[in-house]
Structures are given as C-alpha cells and as structure tokens.
Amino acid sequence: MKTLFTNARLIDPENGTDRPGALLVENGTIKELVYGGNPDLGVAAVDCGGKCLAPGIVDIGVKVCEPGERHKESYKSAGMAAAAGGITTMITRPDTLPATDSPETLEFVARRANEAAPVNVLPMAALTKGRAGREMTEIGFLMDAGAVAFTDCDHVITDTKVFSRALTYARSLGALVIAHPQEPGLSAGAAATSGKFASLRGLPAVSPMAERMGLDRDIALLEMTGARYHADQITTGRALPALERAKRNGLDITAGTSIHHLTLNELDVADYRTFFKVKPPLRSEDDRQAVIAAVREGLIDTISSMHTPQDEESKRLPFEEAASGAVALETLLPAALRLYHSGDLDLPTLFRAMALNPAKRLGLYSGRLAAGAPADLVLFDADAPFVLDRWKLNSKSKNTPFDGARLQGKVRATYVAGTCVFEAP
Amino acid sequence: MSFSQSHLLGIEPLSPSDITAILDLADQYVDLNRREVKHSDALAGLTQINMFFENSTRTQASFELAGKRLGADVMSMAMQASSIKKGETLIDTALTLNAMHPDLLVVRHPHSGAVDLLAQKVKCAVLNAGDGRHEHPTQALLDALTIRRAKGRLHRLSIAICGDIAHSRVARSNILLLGKMENRVRLVGPPTLMPSQISEFGVEVFEDMREGLRDVDVVMMLRLQRERMDGGFIPSEREYYHRYGLDADKLSHAKPDAIVMHPGPMNRGVEIDGEIADDINRSVIQEQVEMGVAVRMAAMDLLARNLRARPKEVLA
C-alpha cells in the first residue's frame, strides 16, 4: 500500500532542511522524498496544504502512571494525548508504583502499552531495585524484555560505589543509563531555584550549582566506567562547560532538557502557582537563554516533555508541599514552536532535538525523513493560534502550566508506521 | 482614610497610603487601649476565627485581644492538633470554614504561600499572621508604628535588621515596608543566614555588626531559632553571641538615641544582652507588644469596613 503526501513543507532534521516537497510512504515505511513539484504516481494522496510534515516526536521520559496510579494517567489516555501532540514514540519512565524494576513488571507495562496506546511505547526500567540506589536490577533480563534504557529517574544514586558498579555492568551489555544530575545534599527540600525570586517568596531553594556538581560527579564516573550515559535534564548555564568538555574528551555522553525549562522561567511561578512546580525547579532567564543556545549548537541533544501527571489534590496544596511535575505530551510541540516563532530555533533544529537525536541515542531508525525509516510522521500548522484550555487535554491529569496560554502551532494529523492515529477535528 | 485591600496577606501588595491608613487608625486604638474602658463596637456582630497551624502564643493572644476589644465573636483553633493531623487538606479546611460564615480569618501556617492559597478559597477577609519564611505583615506594621511614635517619622531613617534574615518572615515584611516608606535598610548577619541575592532588594548587607550599626536610628534584632544554633548555620551559640549578639559595645556604634527592637520571644544572651533589652531608654520591646494589639485592631477594622462595603450578594 502506497500513500503520497503532497504539497508539504518537509522538515528534515538530518539534512537540516525545511523545503516544499512530497513524501512517498509504502507499507508503513518512508520510500522516497521528492523536492520541487508533486509527482503524479497514481497512488492515494494526502494533500498537506503547504503545512509542515516532520518526523514524529520521540519523547524520552514520559511518565504513564501504570502500574499504580492509573487515575492520574493510563496508557490509553497518555497514548491519545501523545497522538494528539505529534508524539509517535513514548519512552516511558519506570518511576511507577511499584517501580518498573523487574522483567515481570516490564512485561505488564509492555502488554498494557500494546493494548491501549495508539503510538509506539518503549519502556525504560529502573537501574536499581525499587529505585532505592542500593542493588542493581536485572539489567540483562530487562533488556531481553524490551527495556531501552535504565534510569532511577529523579532519585540520584548517592552511593558512588553502587552507581559505578551499575554503570560498569550496564556498559558490558551496551545498556544506556539515564541519570538526573543533581547534588542531593544541596537540593534536599528545595521548591525553587535560589535567587531574588525565591528569597522574595520565602521558598526553600537550591543553588543552580547543584546540577553542575551532580553532572561533574557523573562525568567522573563515566571516565571510570566507560558507560553509555544520558543526562535527563540539563537546565542551567553553569553545567554546560562540563558537558562540553566531557563530549570533547570522547565520553559516550548525551544530554536532554525539558520543554518547560526552555520556555518558562522562575518568575512564572508568580503567586505560588503549583502547576509551575517542576523538578528541577524553573531557572532564571539567563539559564533559559543558555540552554536554548546549547540546543541550537547541539551541545544539548534532546528536548523532552518530561510528562508528569499529577492529580488536582496533589497540586492544590501550599507550594512547598505540592507535588512536582507537569503534563506536556500535548503542549510539547506548540510550546517548542514558541522558540521557532521567537526566532531562537529553526524547525529542523527543533526536530533534531525532539525526534532525530532521541531516536539515534536509543538505536531507533525513526525520527527522520529518510528512505527506509518508519513512516512515523506529524503534520502540523506551525502558525495556527489557539488558547490552551487544560480541560480539553486528553491526559487524565490536567496539570499544565500552559492553561490559558496563547500558543501557536496545531497538529493536523499524526501517523505511526503510515497509519493515521490522530486527525484534528 | 482609605484602605485598598480586601485581605492583609503581606506588605508587598500595600501602597504607602494603605500603610499610613493602618498606622493612623492604630494610633487612635492605642489611645483607646490605654483607657479604663477598652471597648469599641467596630466589629460587633462579626465572627473572627484564628487558625494557627504553627505554635504561637503572643501573636495569637494579640489577635484575640484585638478582636475582643472591637466586639467581634472570636474563636481560636489550634490547627496543628486537629484535623491537619487527620490528613485534611488546606482546601478542605477552607470549605469547612466557609460553612461557618466567618468574617475575618487570621491564619498562621508553616509554609510560604499557604495563606494566599487559603485566601483564594474562602469568602471572608484573611489576615496573614505569618506564612513560612514569606511574610508577617502585622509584625512589620507594629514595628513601623513603634518606630513612627519613637522617632516622630517613618521615612529617611537608617534601620539595621540583624540576625537570621534567611528564615525570617519578619525580616522580609520589614524590608518591604521600610523600603516602601523610603528608609535606608541595612541587613546584618552571618552569610549563612542571608537569603540569596538579598542585595537586590535595595538593602545594604553587612557581615560585621559594628560596621552595620554605625549611625543607625533603629536596631531591629531577630530571634534565632534554637534548631539553627547547632552547627548547621552557625558554629555555636557563644560564637554567635560574640559576633552578632547585641551588647553595649556594639550598640555604641549606633546613634546615641537609637532605639532597640525585638519581635519576641527573646533569647537573652544569644542575640541580645539582657540589660539592653530591659534598658527603658533604648529598648522599645514592650511598646512593640502594645502597638501589636492596636495595629491588629486597625487592620481588622479597615478590612471589616471594606467587607461591609461589598455588595450584599457577594457577602451571602
């Protein structure tokens, strides 16, 4: 079966191009890209109407609350939200209840994902049992069961002996380890980034230096062990020189950042708005600018939604007590397009960070517009304006910081292996 | 006399004329409180509920007395002992309260911003009696009234706030209030007890106390919590007293007529020398307590006037 996407603005992150053209899909795989004019192949055609056609987003670090807290988010609701947000592959987090730390739990997750989610779901597993930082999980069995990476999420493994052994063991299997660079002694109890704003609001705060200290430690452990490593979120300017040096020295390291740290800063918390409480906390405007520049230069490789559903009860609390995290599957693309409309990042750069680089890091051949790649695609109107209403989100939890925000960029359709999984009404 | 607010959540939203309105009315209540019959009917028929989610003796007593002298029906709830222990959330507490139809709600809470959150959910006027490290507006107002009465003005004064600034809501509210009224504010204390980037608040920061007190008109001491004396923030009580405790020698660097203030309760021999605290020529600590009742009467009176001026359907 062949489908031709005509009259499209093709966003090709691999070649860094943004040009009008057509794209031929055959049996769920991209067959050919045709630039300049629409070929007449006599096959079923989708007229893109001059809108953007880009590789579907590969989102590392999505929290789906199965098992344990299905009232916050299920594979069905998360899958629908992802499809509506142009995300074709969710890389799910193991910080479930209980933690996804055994092949049995992982099989449950994989089964639920296959049954309920219309997009690709690739699970991550915990690096240590119960994410407690004491004993490593069955990394080999978990890889056999389909784990694409290993992470304790926001739990920092403080015992460096445990962490270095887990890294060494993971290296022997070629497993990717994803860590949360943070010095936990400094960040304990913090609800904001230290600075004028936190002082004015009287919030317990963490120095942005805690991130660099955590990263410095992890880099030293990488030098020791040679493991494959990805930092989940780099959010401060101070951490960037260390990352750059580590890359230059040839360590197998990549880094991501979250859409919230790219598009919001600490002042957005305003009068203790808990939907803006994320982990790590929102940073200063200087840090935000530094992180945008690092994405532009490719120093920061990936952008994630860091989708973290929280119910109303866990957010309707005083700021210090409120849970961290924000839902973002459906707002990732429109929020990222703020950076395009502001002239900070072009579309191929955005999709390099949201699709190509995450796919490459996980050894997937998606995330690109290339012959032979799976036809995981998102068709979107980069300019269409709208005001976000959180009650219209597909996610079961509605904790978005963008409620009421004016955004630009609507997904028209999402395709997974050539099959349409979402079409805008 | 006009007051623009429907709650008293902090000094931050107040204008200089709001502050002056409270202080002017409080002056009248100081006179009332010194009479034999200390009663007015300003709050007659209104219900005042004090909710303290954190221990307090003085502030709670002061608010209670203020409400009673103005004729309100006053009830105090010690929340740390009650439903919060049973897992009730702050929002549920607010809904429960709405059903009791209070008119004035006085709240103290250990977390910054908690009083703001409560104020969004209840239908009455809310007074912040201290939230976390954020604000303690009535303390700053009573300090301002004390200064104004002792110095004859509340502008162009040089005022040193000394001690644990980082954990102090009293310090934050005072920095904001004294700044709004155009005074020079100095902060004195060890760097471990200073909030980050505090110099951006338009204050001067001193680590040396003698230098910080040079030629000031007002010395405002803060209480150092016991749990912060054990090496976490400062090495020891005695080293703190040596470097930052207010004694006669350090005070001699201030102006000869400088007044000494403390929000209480004092740690004699930790942050302040007992003799200075009791020196009737310098210490205004007792006046502060007296002004506290008057300022709280004024604040509740002004909020009640705004409450009564609201359209009836909003009140219902």
Side-chain angles (χ1 to χ4, degrees), chain B residues 223-286:
Chain B
R223 175 178 166 77
L224 183 69
Q225 304 285 339
R226 287 254 159 219
E227 59 267 26
R228 307 213 164 97
M229 297 175 193
D230 57 0
F233 291 88
I234 52 161
S236 69
E237 200 176 303
R238 61 182 191 175
E239 181 161 328
Y240 184 80
Y241 182 68
H242 178 69
R243 298 192 62 208
Y244 296 104
L246 186 65
D247 54 21
D249 172 53
K250 294 192 192 90
L251 185 58
S252 71
H253 292 77
K255 281 193 184 157
D257 62 347
I259 55 169
V260 174
M261 306 175 75
H262 193 293
M266 281 183 283
N267 296 307
R268 288 171 188 259
V270 178
E271 69 251 355
I272 190 162
D273 179 78
E275 273 181 43
I276 288 177
D278 299 331
D279 181 351
I280 50 164
N281 296 316
R282 308 303 292 270
S283 165
V284 292
I285 295 169
Q286 294 306 314

Side-chain angles (χ1 to χ4, degrees), chain B residues 6 18 105 179 222:
Chain B
S6 49
D18 287 331
L105 187 61
L222 296 173

Side-chain angles (χ1 to χ4, degrees), chain B residues 177-198:
Chain B
L177 189 152
L178 296 169
K180 279 177 200 271
M181 305 310 279
E182 298 179 8
N183 296 283
R184 290 185 65 169
V185 177
R186 298 171 169 198
L187 304 181
V188 180
T192 45
L193 295 175
M194 283 291 164
S196 84
Q197 293 183 21
I198 192 68

Side-chain angles (χ1 to χ4, degrees), chain A residues 193-205 271-272 313 316-321, chain B residues 12 89-91 109-114 116-117 131 133-134 172 176 195-197 200-201:
Chain A
T193 302
S194 63
K196 187 185 176 190
F197 181 77
S199 292
L200 181 65
R201 286 287 177 266
L203 290 172
D271 287 328
Y272 304 100
E313 281 65 41
R316 282 167 57 182
L317 291 170
F319 198 83
E320 283 169 56
E321 291 174 50
Chain B
E12 200 189 357
T89 68
L90 198 56
I91 306 284
H109 197 282
H111 292 316
S112 305
D116 294 51
L117 179 67
D131 63 323
R133 318 170 176 184
H134 178 219
R172 274 177 188 70
L176 292 169
S196 84
Q197 293 183 21
E200 290 189 25
F201 286 75

Side-chain angles (χ1 to χ4, degrees), chain A residues 249-271:
Chain A
N249 291 343
L251 297 180
D252 192 352
I253 181 172
T254 50
T257 193
S258 95
I259 188 63
H260 300 117
H261 293 93
L262 280 174
T263 53
L264 304 169
N265 69 28
E266 58 186 349
L267 301 180
D268 287 305
V269 170
D271 287 328

